[in-house]
Structures are given as structure tokens and as C-alpha cells.
Amino acid sequence: MSTVLQIYGAIDRLAPFSLSMDFDNTGILVGDRQKKVERTLLALDCTKEVLRQAKELGAQLIITHHPIIFHPIKRVNEDSLVYHLLRSDIAVISAHTNLDIAQGGVNDLLAKRIGLSDCRGLQPMDAQGTFFLGRIGSLPEGMEPQQFAQYLKQRLGAPSVKFAAADRTVKTVALCGGAGADCLEDAIRVGADALLTSEVKQHEYLAAAAAGISIFDAGHFDTEDVVIEPLWEYLTKQFADVEFFTTHHTVIRAV
């Protein structure tokens, strides 16, 4: 029977944990590496609801994109999700920035979801120019910013898309799933018509407007949740003895 460590190894082959950025916390973050796994639940975040679903499934492992432990923990008690994971004997593997940067990871899948072609890396992550954060590519046809915002909402299933529009057609699109507005300078440098990301701050909208580039905020969850089903498909092919399940639970609502 497959173990937590073996499943970690399969994820490492897809998105090497060595690619994780310095501030990040990835890998086997909760539980026993040698624990036998029959059922696994994949989710963007490990929340109380995701833990409840995992327990109902009889899962021994949860795989998340966002780390279950990111900031230092000061206490592990009944108010702590880590406490309840340990009590439930459920391990957690988190693949975060390594899955963003890897080929076939979050940003490649986001580019595919919105129909970009001729994609290449955006923000270099090493001196050799081998690994990149973000991608840039071309839409099949140019769109006006308002039209592109509506297109993104439909393609991503996002409840809303906020944007600041430049006076130019959107054809070449730079993107970075999650909170990637710090890629704005790179998007400008490579001549993109627009940057797609999330968690855009007021000064970043203003900076984009001043630079004549459109910027689109389609939400953190909706720009990254695109990775869950392809990751499920990859792992299902790797482990015939493990059942993998997915959930797309988010606490975020829009009106």
C-alpha cells in the first residue's frame, strides 16, 4: 500500500519542492511520512469544512496548494486545525510556490484555461532563466478590457472580476495566479497589454493605469483552483491503490 512519503515523491517529480520560494513552507507539514494511504482529498486550502469532508471519506491524507502551516504556530489546542488533523490521524502535504513555478503547474494551467497560446515565462526565478513565476501568452483574438473581464469571469467561474482598463485592446496577456501583482513591472517590461492576477491593491491599479496596461483581479481562489483537477488526474494515474477525491470549497462569497 502506498504511503504519504511516496505520494510526496510523486508530487515532487511533477513540481519539485526545491523550487519553493524562500518564504514558503511546503512538503509534508502534518502527519506520519510512513502512514499507509487508501484515500486522499485534494483542495486549495485545508479548512474545517475540508477536514470534515476528508473524515467523511475516510481519507488518511489531504493535499493542498496553500500551506496548512505558514506562520509560526504559538499553540496547538482545540481551536487549532492542526490539532484536529493530528487527532484525526490525517496527514497534510502542501505544494505551494513550487506548484506555481513548475511547468504544468498553476500558471500554465491558468494560461490554458483562458486560452493563451505561445506561452513563455514571465518573472525569472534563477540566474539561468530556467524557472519562472508567471506566464505570458496571446489570446486567439484581441478583446476590449470590459469584454476580457467578462470572458475571465466566465472561463474561471469567478463570482466577480475587478479591473482597471487601459486604452488598448487586450491581446498579449501576462498572468500570475494568486497574489501576483508584483509581476506588474515584468508585464510592462515584456510589453503585455494586460496582467491577470488577484489581490490587487489600490496603488497597483493606479500604477497600471499610469503605465497604460490593463490589470485584472479575478480572485485568489479562482486563479489557482484550476490546478486541483489536473493534479487529481496526475496522481490517479500514479497510484492504482489510492482513491483520490477533490473539493472546491471556498469560504469566499460575492454579492
Side-chain angles (χ1 to χ4, degrees):
M1 187 179 295
S2 298
T3 65
V4 170
L5 185 60
Q6 288 171 324
I7 294 173
Y8 166 90
I11 297 171
D12 189 53
R13 291 191 292 275
L14 174 70
F17 286 93
S18 61
L19 296 179
S20 300
M21 298 172 74
D22 292 342
F23 67 83
D24 206 3
N25 190 32
T26 60
I28 303 171
L29 302 186
V30 176
D32 183 349
R33 293 175 177 83
Q34 301 303 329
K35 183 174 181 60
K36 305 294 185 182
V37 178
E38 295 179 349
R39 292 185 170 192
T40 297
L41 180 62
L42 281 69
L44 201 71
D45 299 276
C46 187
T47 63
K48 289 182 179 178
E49 172 61 22
V50 169
L51 174 57
R52 183 192 65 78
Q53 292 181 39
K55 290 167 72 173
E56 286 185 352
L57 288 169
Q60 296 80 36
L61 173 64
I62 297 172
I63 298 172
T64 69
H65 179 49
H66 295 134
I68 181 62
I69 301 172
F70 193 69
H71 300 292
I73 295 177
K74 295 183 178 181
R75 59 184 61 86
V76 179
N77 56 25
E78 68 276 9
D79 297 324
S80 165
L81 192 56
V82 171
Y83 169 87
H84 291 286
L85 286 161
L86 293 170
R87 285 287 301 270
S88 303
D89 198 19
I90 296 176
V92 178
I93 298 173
S94 297
H96 191 210
T97 51
N98 57 311
L99 195 55
D100 291 325
I101 294 167
Q103 293 185 1
V106 171
N107 288 304
D108 283 329
L109 292 166
L110 179 58
K112 181 178 179 181
R113 177 67 66 88
I114 67 168
L116 297 188
S117 61
D118 301 320
C119 290
R120 58 193 187 277
L122 179 61
Q123 186 180 97
M125 299 303 295
D126 63 338
Q128 293 74 34
T130 304
F131 301 109
F132 295 85
L133 182 65
R135 301 291 186 267
I136 182 170
S138 300
L139 291 166
E141 297 180 358
M143 303 182 197
E144 294 306 308
Q146 175 78 31
Q147 181 188 5
F148 185 56
Q150 294 171 338
Y151 173 81
L152 290 174
K153 184 176 179 180
Q154 184 271 325
R155 294 295 296 173
L156 299 176
S160 63
V161 175
K162 297 186 292 184
F163 66 101
D167 188 20
R168 63 202 265 195
T169 300
V170 176
K171 173 71 172 178
T172 302
V173 179
L175 60 80
C176 183
D182 58 354
C183 289
L184 179 59
E185 289 187 7
D186 291 281
I188 295 168
R189 173 180 55 81
V190 297
D193 301 312
L195 172 65
L196 165 61
T197 187
S198 75
E199 298 190 23
V200 180
K201 297 177 181 178
Q202 175 71 6
H203 73 273
E204 291 161 340
Y205 282 114
L206 295 175
I213 180 174
S214 296
I215 189 166
F216 296 82
D217 184 334
H220 201 127
F221 180 87
D222 294 296
T223 57
E224 292 190 324
D225 191 57
V226 293
V227 76
I228 297 300
E229 295 300 329
L231 184 58
W232 171 88
E233 183 177 357
Y234 167 77
L235 291 170
T236 296
K237 291 178 179 178
Q238 300 294 310
F239 297 93
D241 62 337
V242 180
E243 287 186 275
F244 292 92
F245 302 86
T246 63
T247 181
H248 301 277
H249 172 72
T250 175
V251 301
I252 301 169
R253 297 291 183 268
V255 295

